[in-house]
Amino acid sequence: MAVLNKTSFGKVVSVRSSVIDVQFCECLPEIYTQLRAGEDEQIIIEVVSHLSDEIVRGIALTPTSGLARGSTVINTGHTLQVPVGKRLLGRMFNVFGDAIDGKETLNGGEWRSIHQASIPLSQQSTFAEILETGIKIIDVLAPLERGGKAGLFGGAGVGKTVLITEMIHNMVSQHSGISLFCGIGERNREAEELYREMQDAGVLDNTVLMFGQMNEPPGARFRVGHAAMTMAEYFRDDARQDVLLLIDNIFRFIQAGQEVSGLMGQLPSRVGYQPTLSTELAELEERISSSAKGAITSVQAVYVPADDFTDPAAVHTFGHLSASIVLSRKRASEGFYPAVDPLRSSSKMLTLTIAGKRHYQIAQAVRQTLANYEDLKDIIAMLGIEELSVNDRKTVYRARRLERFLTQPFFSTEQFIGKAGKLVSLSAALDGCERILNDEFSEYPEAALYMIGGIDEVK
């Protein structure tokens, strides 16, 4: 760890929940400086504002039990730091860079501040390129951008975390890149399950896990995204590798900021959110980019409160994304997994110049067919499919087969569904969609296309 410089001692003036006011007579610490207090210096405080020329206000990133007025506070002279390097692979950390996987602690080596500036625009890559995930419905209808940001939108229990686990598996097996999982405000149970699942799937050695869990103070949850970004930036800039950064859940980052804002006594904005919501989100999101050295591609689970897409948290997140993958509770209840809504999901990559003419035309035809089927559902419910015209009936048959073909067994769910996981290339997925649109499988039962990989597996 960094040696203490400009060390000065302060005294606690007041403690209100996680908000600590500290008086320094000599040298006032700068904003974001890390302070330590308590018996074994276990209480970590981050300076967030200067109240006067002697008093600073900080947010505690650890529980404050035992802290009282008059307690001594040490100015460390540096911001919060985390370790970087290849030594992180296969390990699990908290926001302070401490290993929480029960293995040996990391001491020495390089540590970097979690507060880094984003790459200047002049150094960012302007070349748009599609990143294949091996998941049919995403690659065909909402392809991800290499070095871009994709959002996984959905309420509770529609399969966000399962989809993220599958993407980690495919990233390691397909692109031999580094996956960095950042859990913000997630349950302890989920962290422990994810660790074991990755160990069983054999992808842990190429993954770094970073958690700020639900039971931790809001200050720690608010900074865990910045800590993970610092680790990811090392692999992009120094190791020159592509990084898949998975954030579960970006809404919890906004929520932690809301709690910090409330503790600081700031006046709330719309729907009770912090007035600095857009700035805080932008500071984190703008660090996710690609350069000539490598790319950080981010997939972010976004919990949508009460499935309301007009919520400020969802609206502000949408603005940063190049692809939006919307998960639907209705599709999940119908047994279509992954439960991606093909009509509400979209991607800026799906244009003639980037995706190519064939991909663009097939995706548009698939979407058109499914949209027409959606329009016909009311008539079918009232009058029956027999009352439709011949052309409409063909549309319905195609759409129902497309819906089933776009389902896929995952490697991460093998033990639950009893089917081996499938990784499907983009060309194979496009071939399948094209052949279904050309009525090649009109004689086959719909069930033959359900939960398969490539179209050649139809029996």
Side-chain angles (χ1 to χ4, degrees), residues 10-12 20 22 34-45 60 62-68 71-76:
K11 289 268 185 274
V12 173
I20 319 289
V22 186
Q34 179 185 332
L35 310 177
R36 286 182 171 267
E39 280 185 9
D40 300 320
E41 298 178 13
Q42 290 298 311
I43 299 170
I44 298 173
I45 303 160
T62 53
T64 56
S65 54
L67 202 62
S71 296
T72 303
V73 176
I74 298 170
N75 172 11
T76 63

Side-chain angles (χ1 to χ4, degrees), residues 23-58:
Q23 182 177 26
F24 286 90
C25 295
E26 296 171 26
C27 176
L28 210 60
E30 294 175 9
I31 302 288
Y32 299 145
T33 301
Q34 179 185 332
L35 310 177
R36 286 182 171 267
E39 280 185 9
D40 300 320
E41 298 178 13
Q42 290 298 311
I43 299 170
I44 298 173
I45 303 160
E46 186 177 64
V47 177
V48 287
S49 68
H50 291 167
L51 299 184
S52 70
D53 54 1
E54 280 195 349
I55 296 176
V56 297
R57 177 162 286 173

Side-chain angles (χ1 to χ4, degrees), residues 37-38 56 70 75 119 126 141 151 223 235 237 248 250-251 289 340 364 368 371 382 384 413 419:
V56 297
N75 172 11
I119 306 181
T126 54
L141 296 175
R223 287 294 176 221
F235 288 109
D237 300 335
D248 188 10
I250 203 74
F251 173 76
S289 58
V340 176
Q364 293 302 94
Q368 187 65 55
M382 286 188 288
T413 57
K419 280 191 174 184

Side-chain angles (χ1 to χ4, degrees), residues 322-399:
S322 54
S324 301
I325 299 160
V326 180
L327 297 178
S328 151
R329 199 175 300 283
K330 183 169 171 284
R331 286 183 70 78
S333 66
E334 290 168 353
F336 295 128
Y337 288 104
V340 176
D341 189 325
L343 300 178
R344 289 167 78 192
S345 302
S346 62
S347 170
K348 291 174 185 170
M349 294 291 100
L350 204 54
T351 61
L352 280 168
T353 48
I354 298 170
K357 189 177 177 183
R358 181 170 180 255
H359 184 175
Y360 177 76
Q361 288 178 339
I362 291 172
Q364 293 302 94
V366 168
R367 203 167 260 152
Q368 187 65 55
T369 306
L370 293 173
N372 291 346
Y373 174 44
E374 202 63 37
D375 293 340
L376 294 168
K377 276 183 178 174
D378 290 344
I379 300 171
I380 296 168
M382 286 188 288
L383 303 173
I385 200 166
E386 295 77 22
E387 296 301 313
L388 297 178
S389 67
V390 175
N391 278 345
D392 282 350
R393 242 179 286 176
K394 279 187 174 176
T395 299
V396 171
Y397 294 148
R398 275 184 216 128

Side-chain angles (χ1 to χ4, degrees), residues 20 84 93 132 230 311 338 451:
I20 319 289
V84 293
F93 299 94
E132 281 191 40
T230 302
D311 188 89
M451 281 290 173

Side-chain angles (χ1 to χ4, degrees), residues 409 420 422-424 448-449 451-459:
K422 294 283 195 294
L423 194 146
V424 185
L449 289 103
M451 281 290 173
I452 59 168
I455 197 75
D456 298 333
E457 293 175 31
V458 175
K459 292 187 175 65

